[in-house]
Amino acid sequence: MTSPQPVPASTYRLQLTADFTLDRARQTLPYLRDLGVDWLYLSPMLGSEEGSTHGYDVVDPTQVDDARGGESGLRELAEAVHSAGGGILADIVPNHVGVATPKDNAWWWDLLKHGRASKYATAFDIDWEAGDSRIWLPVLGDGTEEDPEAELSRLRIVEGELHYYENVYPLAPGTEDAARSAAGPGAGEEQLARAVHELQNYRLMPWREADENLNYRRFFAVNSLAGVRVEIPRVFSETHREILSWIRDGLVDGLRVDHPDGLADPGGYFENLRQATGGVYLLGEKILEGGERMPAAWAVDGTTGYDALGEIERVLTDPAGAAELDEVAGRLGGWAGTDAEAVWAEMIHGTKRAVADGMLRSEVERLARLVPGLLPEDAEGERLQDALAELLACFPVYRSYLPTGRHHLDDAATDAVRRRPDLSEAVEALLPLLADPDHPIGERFQQTSGMVMAKGVEDTAFYRYTRLASLNEVGGDPSSFALDLARFHALQGDRQARMPRTMTTLSTHDTKRSEDVRARIDVLSEIPGQWAATLDRLMELAPLGDGPFEKLLWETIIGAWPVDGTALQTGRLAEYALKAAREAATRTTWTEQDPEFEAAIADLAERATGTGELRAEIQALADRIAAAGVVNQVSMKLIQLTLPGVPDVYQGTEIPFPTLVDPDNRRPVDFAERAALLGRLDGGWAPEFPAAVETEDGADAGAPEYDGGALAEYAAGLKLLVTSRALRARREHPEWFNRYQELDVIGEAADHAIAFTRGGSITVATRWPLGLDDEGGWGEAAVVLPRQAMVDLLTGRRFGGAHTDGTTRLAELFEHHPVALLVPEDGNTLR
């Protein structure tokens, strides 16, 4: 009988780059073990594009990336990790490979050189017939109106290769000689290059044609990431040989699978992995919509944690602020008086439809080509494509996994016909085929719906819909504003029962805003009126003419603003604002820039981080929410670290680390700073909440102000204290975390506390801190504890015991900090 495969008590995500290699990870290991981390969770390690900062553009699946430390780096790190009693969770990318530099990807290079005769032809997802047996590559610049392919004049033959600026492509055997012979001795370089190009197994086309004419599957709309067909056994074997050797050689202990929704058969893929690895710890990066569950038949331990992220976010958001924030959003967005959920539903239908008609048009056309003649009167296939695009726009989740999820297809069909009665015949004809997992269109539609959802919702609507920016996060539904305690506890109990080994997270390399930014934005739900007034003033001082975007931008700025009173870095703000504006695509886009609007954004960033009135307005509100933001940050962290599931800490977030969308969220981490602070904590230093300072202008007594530097030190110390004590507890006392049950909280302020037991440990955390202060504090509110002696790991103080009535006043429990982590006194032995 084989022994059970190990499961991590926790993970710590590290982003490997040429600057932060596997060797650097090994050097950081002593600190991470002291922090309490069990397993390291490593970003993709296979050979990737030169200069890649993320590793999701694999070009060589046969070896560990040399730039990231190579095989020796992995072996040395694995030896160190395992000697310390830990493990390694590796992120892998089965859906696609990087093809930006064809010469660096041997498979792609061979494909371009030999076309359909290449031994790798079946590895890529290509519609050869649609491209006249050629691969269409969208790399040419804009031509002229008279000659869209005028850029072909830039082609040159250089040492047996076709060059277009810095882009290099192979020549099919014999084609250069054939072209020279046909062109004659007097042919110039341009004429010869064009002639050679016509003989290749690929066609270079203007980049703007990709959306409609591309004939290979991409990762979403990224032309430089080509889809791979791992459903074919040989392709699975060759793309996973190196990965499986890590498992076989004991270097890696678990796998995290990137974007399984892009695969033809995710369930089959996970089963193949299970069999090939012997059943190691396995996670799938699956984004679940509200009420959706991971397919029970999948051979996985869980998701990568976005579902937990959304639940924690919403239990800390004050529902009392929804109406006023909706009024502001409606006024700015032109939907005042309309239900916010209905607005969101219409918005995402529109953005998804725009994606299906635009950047993913080639995928819709490919779907239609799979059912020729389905509508005899629709000779050009336009009605069929229209119906497919409408079904994709109406699909309520990322995808189905037929036969599982068939009801989502039925719901989409009903909605599509409701919106477009003229498409009823086409939808009716398509439905039985789309519901058939063995029909090519049924399989490919499932792969396509996730693309449309991701680009239409996460990468577009999330930058347009602005009830509260913290709700616009990966895996979340912004139309769901808050979560009551009963529902929150029910969801955690369900997670404990169904997927106790799933991951939980608060920040990732994909989140739009890190946990610390969102925690501060959540405070605005408690002061919607004050925030609305400040927002109006900010928009008056720095108008952009796009109200919804401005609201999202200013909320993000407030969330990312430093606690210590210094300004957000101008460059970081400008880069984020520009990316957000282009993603929103309301005034400027990635392909059609508005120079005047983008100049206004740059000016806003300069002035917001400068010294004038605009900066003063920001600073005033940032000071108002500073202390409450810290409360939210540590409450959020403690809740996540102690919930059912395997908690992940994204690099650097053990202290407040306010980052924005990538690449900002992959900023280097100062581990030396964190190690020194942890040493102070372990040496006996106790963070103390600073006393309020008196202001010269006689500020509102209900809004105390604090020394920024002192508050920042407290926040860093407390968050690191929370993280280290919770991680150590989970690693050294797993028996304290084997069930889930909410604890009773009594008293008028009971709604401000979140309390639960995990079977040995008890978490108690504060929520809605500004409202709590306005109501006069905790008063006589109390939590009902088990009648045994408990110790708070954050303070060392003793609570409860056999001779008490079981209640502990929250004012006493939270005397020093707004959170508490209680464990049995007789088991309080953390190394």
Side-chain angles (χ1 to χ4, degrees), residues 244-305:
L244 296 178
S245 76
W246 301 342
I247 303 293
R248 183 187 64 244
D249 295 347
L251 304 178
V252 166
D253 307 277
L255 299 173
R256 178 264 196 195
V257 176
D258 181 68
H259 190 49
D261 278 353
L263 305 179
D265 179 14
Y269 172 79
F270 284 124
E271 179 59 26
N272 289 339
L273 263 190
R274 186 192 67 79
Q275 294 185 17
T277 63
V280 297
Y281 183 65
L282 184 60
L283 298 175
E285 186 209 21
K286 172 60 189 167
I287 294 174
L288 301 170
E289 294 299 303
E292 186 184 10
R293 290 185 170 184
M294 196 86 148
W298 282 7
V300 295
D301 290 283
T303 73
T304 52

Side-chain angles (χ1 to χ4, degrees), residues 329-545:
R331 169 168 55 85
L332 297 176
W335 50 270
T338 306
D339 178 71
E341 294 184 12
V343 171
W344 172 247
E346 288 305 306
M347 177 181 289
I348 63 172
H349 174 269
T351 54
K352 289 167 67 178
R353 180 66 206 236
V355 165
D357 290 338
M359 67 177 71
L360 292 179
R361 180 71 187 177
S362 61
E363 296 294 337
V364 175
E365 292 179 349
R366 186 171 181 179
L367 286 170
R369 289 195 294 269
L370 294 173
V371 285
L374 184 64
L375 301 177
E377 73 284 2
D378 183 29
E380 301 299 319
E382 292 182 1
R383 181 178 296 181
L384 193 61
Q385 292 173 28
D386 193 4
L388 285 164
E390 189 63 29
L391 285 166
L392 289 167
C394 293
F395 210 78
V397 296
Y398 272 71
R399 62 167 288 173
S400 57
Y401 308 93
L402 295 172
T404 301
R406 163 63 196 264
H407 64 286
H408 295 310
L409 180 60
D410 293 335
D411 290 344
T414 299
D415 192 26
V417 171
R418 177 184 65 81
R419 293 173 180 274
R420 293 286 306 278
D422 58 307
L423 295 177
S424 59
E425 179 185 0
V427 169
E428 184 178 351
L430 281 167
L431 197 56
L433 304 180
L434 295 176
D436 182 356
D438 296 322
H439 194 288
I441 196 173
E443 176 183 284
R444 186 165 295 278
F445 184 90
Q446 294 180 94
Q447 291 176 278
T448 307
S449 61
M451 301 185 202
V452 174
M453 176 73 88
K455 296 306 298 180
V457 179
E458 286 181 32
D459 292 346
T460 306
F462 272 11
Y463 292 93
R464 295 183 184 181
Y465 187 78
T466 52
R467 298 181 83 188
L468 192 64
S470 54
L471 304 177
N472 296 16
E473 195 48 84
V474 179
D477 177 357
S479 70
S480 172
F481 191 87
L483 199 62
D484 64 45
L485 284 174
R487 179 60 178 157
F488 175 79
H489 288 305
L491 289 169
Q492 308 324 307
D494 181 69
R495 180 174 288 111
Q496 174 67 29
R498 291 190 309 105
M499 304 190 79
R501 304 193 297 186
T502 190
M503 180 176 279
T504 67
T505 192
L506 290 176
S507 301
T508 75
H509 61 286
D510 277 334
T511 43
K512 308 298 185 186
R513 300 162 193 83
S514 74
E515 62 204 64
D516 297 303
V517 176
R518 300 195 312 272
R520 285 169 53 85
I521 296 173
D522 289 342
V523 180
L524 301 180
S525 68
E526 294 196 72
I527 51 169
Q530 185 174 348
W531 168 231
T534 300
L535 177 62
D536 286 343
R537 181 60 179 152
L538 293 171
M539 293 174 63
E540 179 184 346
L541 291 171
L544 293 178

Side-chain angles (χ1 to χ4, degrees), residues 36-195:
V37 172
D38 192 14
W39 287 20
L40 299 189
Y41 170 20
L42 304 178
S43 64
M45 293 184 285
L46 292 173
S48 57
E49 290 277 358
E50 184 177 354
S52 172
T53 60
H54 49 77
Y56 289 94
D57 45 5
V58 173
V59 296
D60 185 356
T62 68
Q63 64 176 7
V64 179
D65 190 26
D66 286 336
R68 287 171 166 76
E71 181 182 355
S72 62
L74 176 58
R75 288 188 176 277
E76 291 171 6
L77 174 61
E79 181 179 359
V81 168
H82 292 125
S83 295
I88 292 178
L89 176 67
D91 194 348
I92 62 172
V93 192
N95 178 70
H96 53 268
V97 294
V99 297
T101 310
K103 209 167 190 177
D104 289 347
N105 187 323
W107 291 24
W108 189 251
W109 185 262
D110 191 84
L111 179 74
L112 297 181
K113 186 172 185 176
H114 298 290
R116 301 182 82 161
S118 168
K119 63 179 179 178
Y120 300 112
T122 57
F124 294 96
D125 196 349
I126 300 167
D127 188 345
W128 292 101
E129 284 69 27
D132 295 326
S133 290
R134 302 171 77 185
I135 308 163
W136 290 33
L137 305 178
V139 297
L140 298 179
D142 291 330
T144 64
E145 188 173 340
E146 295 76 21
D147 184 5
E149 296 188 346
E151 282 291 293
L152 289 174
S153 64
R154 309 286 186 181
L155 297 178
R156 293 292 183 271
I157 304 297
V158 180
E159 297 182 353
E161 299 170 339
L162 187 64
H163 286 220
Y164 174 66
Y165 293 108
E166 71 278 8
N167 301 287
V168 179
Y169 305 94
L171 298 182
T175 54
E176 181 178 1
D177 290 341
R180 289 185 184 279
S181 175
E189 288 187 20
E190 175 188 337
Q191 182 182 357
L192 177 62
R194 280 192 178 233

Side-chain angles (χ1 to χ4, degrees), residues 11-17 20-21 24-25 28 31-32 35 37 41-43 53 505-509 514-516 637 648-659 663-671 674 719:
T11 61
Y12 189 99
R13 171 74 176 210
L14 290 172
Q15 294 295 119
L16 300 173
T17 66
F20 190 87
T21 62
R24 287 281 303 279
T28 307
Y31 159 69
L32 296 177
L35 182 63
V37 172
Y41 170 20
L42 304 178
S43 64
T53 60
T505 192
L506 290 176
S507 301
T508 75
H509 61 286
S514 74
E515 62 204 64
D516 297 303
K637 198 67 171 180
D648 176 59
V649 177
Y650 184 71
Q651 61 175 29
T653 60
E654 59 267 35
I655 68 173
F657 196 43
T659 61
D664 191 65
N665 57 20
R666 294 195 292 267
R667 285 192 296 146
V669 175
D670 188 340
F671 287 107
R674 288 158 173 79
K719 194 176 184 194

